[in-house]
Amino acid sequence: MTAAAFAAVFGAAHRQIRLVESSEIGIVGVGEATLPHIRFFNRRIGIDERELMAHTQATFKLGIEFVDWARIGDSYIHPFGTYGSRIAGIPFHHYWLRQQAAGDSTDIGEYSLPIAASRANRFALPAEDPTDVMSTFGYAFQFDASLYARYLRGFAEARGVQRTDGKIVDVKLRAEDGWVQSLTLDSGEMITGDLFIDCSGFRGLLIEQALKTGYDEWTHWLPCDRAMAVPCENSGRLTPYTRATAREAGWQWRIPLQHRMGNGYVYSSNFISDDEAAAKLLSRLDGKALADPRPLRFTAGRRRKTWNRNVVAIGLSGGFLEPLESTSIYLIQIAITTLIDYLTEQSVATGNYDPRVVQAYNRWIEMEYDRVRDFLILHYHATERADAPIWDYCRTMRIPDSLAHKMELFRTRAHVITYKDGLFLEPSWLAVYFGQRIMPRQYDPRADAPNPEQAREQLARMRERIESALVRMPAHEDFLRQYCPAEPGSGRAGVRT
Ligand SMILES: Cc1cc2nc3c(=O)[nH]c(=O)nc-3n(C[C@H](O)[C@H](O)[C@H](O)COP(=O)(O)OP(=O)(O)OC[C@H]3O[C@@H](n4cnc5c(N)ncnc54)[C@H](O)[C@@H]3O)c2cc1C
């Protein structure tokens, strides 16, 4: 992603961009679910969406379904879109709360088109016209991460990136200031450079092993530290959403692609053994397993500085927040585009990086991680489950003050703290608050302005607009078949019906 974006934006004809990776070491390759931001990244660097989807066996994603999180038997969808519309400038959910207080039991999901489309397995592209209910959602992709890496490699090489398959065996630092001077490959080749982007994964080859930057660990808030991943055969319909089901020691993902289903069990090693996690995962697949479960280990947290001297850590080398909300690829892409914005042509050429720019970049990335962290912790903490030690721990753990403040404001007056930058806007917080049974004590009293009959009618009209848009949306599989049938050769071709 970094090499592709740098080549597209800075032009490899003017700057020499070298990409070193080792096919012997390989990639993690399990990032299968994405967020709508990926479309802005694609557009910015000139990736064609249909071509990308066809090459990566992709399906559309309208949100994430959370099953069994607050109580066993619960299910809610975090949609990529809004709930209802504002009335007299007041957010919709205050009117919904008013109706609930008056005895109406309509689920808030009935006011969200992406939720309705997910439940009905339908998909169509959103509209641009803001008055059209079809403009109230966004979408992302579910794709094969290894095919994505392969596609981007071709994209980068076509734009002049010089790729070397080799293992870095030594990193030389400049004696005078400790900046990275060169990398030595197992072939003996030495590579010098002005700026080194460390995309070496969890090992943090430059940022940690060479520069000893340090890592802030968050396992006490996000206790899962391992995963088992296994693909299985598709069975049933291709859902335009990812599913995350809470389990006895963590949670299980289910991500439908055109050619197979991605599955994984993310768990805490304090509460289940690897063997048991693998057995539980295999016993809960929708179709026949296509491989043995693959174990992965990680530590939630982030690097103390993601830009240190002339090294910028992007990806798993910069930090890791577990995949519950599919945020890693987003964090990578926002790190790339922010870095590009902060790097002037001049500083790329001279290698003189203004320390104020470096500090501002690091602060930005910290903010991005902190926002995601709080949102993830909310899923674990806001549970009523008392059937397993992990849920007892999460329910009673001390949470960050920043999250405690957000939750308190919501509980007291249904207020959602919004911010200009960073992930997760009001509808995302509402989805998880309501989905995990956090009900505010009070709503905005201005929502009492319309008389009860008017309020009922206004809300009924919103539901009708969603229903009439929904019937015009094609089935997800049918839309995929005409929009981006999988390329022959990228796994098993064709859309399952
Ligand atoms: C269980 C799990 C589930 C995930 N699910 C999602 C998801 O649904 N959505 C999402 O957005 N993200 C997800 N992620 C995160 C996603 O997988 C990663 O963010 C993504 O794969 C990027 O990884 P990376 O490039 O930083 O590291 P890696 O994939 O580990 O790549 C590291 C690269 O560095 C190279 N390298 C390392 N050492 C050397 C060396 N000595 N010499 C030469 N080359 C070297 C390797 O060859 C490789 O190319 C998930 C992660 C995990 C662990």
Side-chain angles (χ1 to χ4, degrees):
M1 284 180 252
T2 310
F6 268 57
V9 174
F10 291 119
H14 307 291
R15 310 269 165 256
Q16 203 192 350
I17 302 171
R18 296 280 311 258
L19 164 65
V20 181
E21 58 182 340
S22 160
S23 49
E24 194 187 314
I25 295 173
I27 62 168
V28 164
V30 280
E32 296 181 328
T34 64
L35 294 177
H37 180 273
I38 191 169
R39 291 170 41 231
F40 301 103
F41 179 81
N42 288 347
R43 218 173 293 152
R44 179 149 181 199
I45 73 170
I47 287 179
D48 179 83
E49 175 168 304
R50 296 170 84 144
E51 186 183 284
L52 171 75
M53 290 186 74
H55 275 84
T56 57
Q57 298 276 357
T59 59
F60 288 100
K61 178 179 173 193
L62 291 167
I64 305 174
E65 183 189 25
F66 290 91
V67 178
D68 294 344
W69 280 81
R71 291 183 193 165
I72 291 177
D74 280 1
S75 155
Y76 70 94
I77 289 183
H78 166 196
F80 297 152
T82 55
Y83 294 100
S85 40
R86 287 177 171 254
I87 303 174
I90 314 294
F92 164 77
H93 68 278
H94 293 284
Y95 294 91
W96 177 76
L97 284 167
R98 171 197 161 165
Q99 293 304 100
Q100 296 281 300
D104 182 350
S105 60
T106 312
D107 190 282
I108 194 164
E110 292 190 30
Y111 297 91
S112 161
L113 181 52
I115 293 181
S118 296
R119 297 276 185 217
N121 274 324
R122 289 173 184 260
F123 184 83
L125 296 176
E128 303 258 315
D129 174 5
T131 62
D132 187 338
V133 69
M134 285 295 289
S135 71
T136 59
F137 66 95
Y139 65 91
F141 316 116
Q142 306 172 121
F143 59 32
D144 184 320
S146 297
L147 296 176
Y148 182 47
R150 196 198 291 170
Y151 176 82
L152 288 173
R153 173 185 156 188
F155 180 94
E157 285 183 311
R159 282 154 188 77
V161 170
Q162 187 190 340
R163 175 183 178 272
T164 305
D165 190 341
K167 219 192 228 167
I168 297 162
V169 290
D170 192 32
V171 180
K172 283 216 163 26
L173 304 184
R174 279 194 321 227
E176 65 271 26
D177 55 11
W179 286 36
V180 172
Q181 180 175 310
S182 63
L183 314 175
T184 310
L185 306 191
D186 51 358
S187 62
E189 185 188 1
M190 194 174 272
I191 298 178
T192 55
D194 299 308
L195 182 67
F196 293 84
I197 315 281
D198 182 347
C199 302
S200 64
F202 288 126
R203 47 183 77 66
L205 207 60
L206 309 186
I207 197 79
E208 195 56 48
Q209 290 185 26
L211 299 190
K212 313 268 182 275
T213 303
Y215 192 79
D216 286 328
E217 191 185 323
W218 293 334
T219 313
H220 50 295
W221 288 318
L222 294 168
C224 291
D225 57 354
R226 294 192 188 180
M228 288 284 167
V230 70
C232 76
E233 283 180 354
N234 269 336
S235 68
R237 314 214 35 207
L238 281 185
T239 54
Y241 59 88
T242 294
R243 181 177 296 146
T245 306
R247 298 292 191 203
E248 58 286 302
W251 61 278
Q252 181 174 337
W253 80 72
R254 173 190 178 279
I255 306 176
L257 313 182
Q258 291 193 35
H259 61 323
R260 62 167 172 77
M261 182 83 72
N263 308 276
Y265 189 174
V266 176
Y267 57 95
S268 164
S269 57
N270 282 332
F271 299 112
I272 196 169
S273 70
D274 295 342
D275 288 346
E276 205 185 337
K280 293 264 186 207
L281 176 62
L282 288 172
S283 71
R284 291 161 171 162
L285 300 178
D286 285 358
K288 187 169 154 253
L290 297 171
D292 290 330
R294 190 167 144 234
L296 296 133
R297 292 181 176 206
F298 48 82
T299 307
R302 80 166 133 65
R303 203 66 61 197
R304 294 215 171 103
K305 291 181 199 164
T306 56
W307 186 344
N308 188 7
R309 301 178 207 168
N310 59 341
V311 172
V312 185
I314 292 187
L316 302 173
S317 62
F320 184 65
L321 287 167
E322 57 144 279
L324 185 57
E325 284 281 353
S326 329
T327 43
S328 287
I329 290 175
Y330 164 81
L331 287 169
I332 291 173
Q333 296 182 338
I334 200 75
I336 295 168
T337 49
T338 308
L339 183 62
I340 285 172
D341 290 342
Y342 277 53
L343 280 176
T344 62
E345 283 285 306
Q346 200 206 354
S347 61
V348 178
T350 61
N352 289 325
Y353 307 111
D354 183 337
R356 288 164 300 189
V357 170
V358 173
Q359 205 182 29
Y361 175 83
N362 282 334
R363 242 189 259 133
W364 184 285
I365 300 299
E366 275 171 29
M367 176 274 289
E368 291 280 356
Y369 269 82
D370 291 355
R371 296 251 155 96
V372 174
R373 179 200 67 194
D374 279 7
F375 192 59
L376 294 182
I377 297 170
L378 174 65
H379 298 65
Y380 281 92
H381 182 60
T383 182
E384 296 174 12
R385 284 185 64 160
D387 56 299
I390 191 170
W391 301 114
D392 288 338
Y393 172 78
C394 293
R395 209 182 53 249
T396 54
M397 71 185 168
R398 201 187 137 90
I399 57 174
D401 292 345
S402 48
L403 175 59
H405 175 60
K406 288 186 190 95
M407 291 176 71
E408 198 41 39
L409 266 180
F410 186 73
R411 278 204 174 101
T412 49
R413 41 188 293 257
H415 181 76
V416 178
I417 292 189
T418 51
Y419 28 74
K420 197 164 96 357
D421 302 307
L423 259 189
F424 301 124
L425 304 176
E426 187 175 81
S428 299
W429 287 91
L430 288 175
V432 182
Y433 283 142
F434 290 135
Q436 307 225 178
R437 297 176 176 268
I438 299 186
M439 289 303 275
R441 290 190 278 278
Q442 198 186 314
Y443 55 84
D444 188 325
R446 289 174 296 174
D448 282 327
N451 69 43
E453 194 47 40
Q454 274 174 333
R456 236 191 329 272
E457 269 175 28
Q458 280 171 321
L459 267 64
R461 264 201 306 276
M462 289 182 201
R463 290 201 306 272
E464 280 161 23
R465 287 177 75 203
I466 287 174
E467 282 159 21
S468 69
L470 185 65
V471 293
R472 293 195 305 273
M473 290 169 89
H476 180 215
E477 282 115 337
D478 292 343
F479 192 88
L480 279 172
R481 197 177 295 111
Q482 57 89 10
Y483 190 76
C484 55
E487 281 282 309
S490 56
R492 195 151 51 81
V495 179
R496 236 190 108 84
T497 50

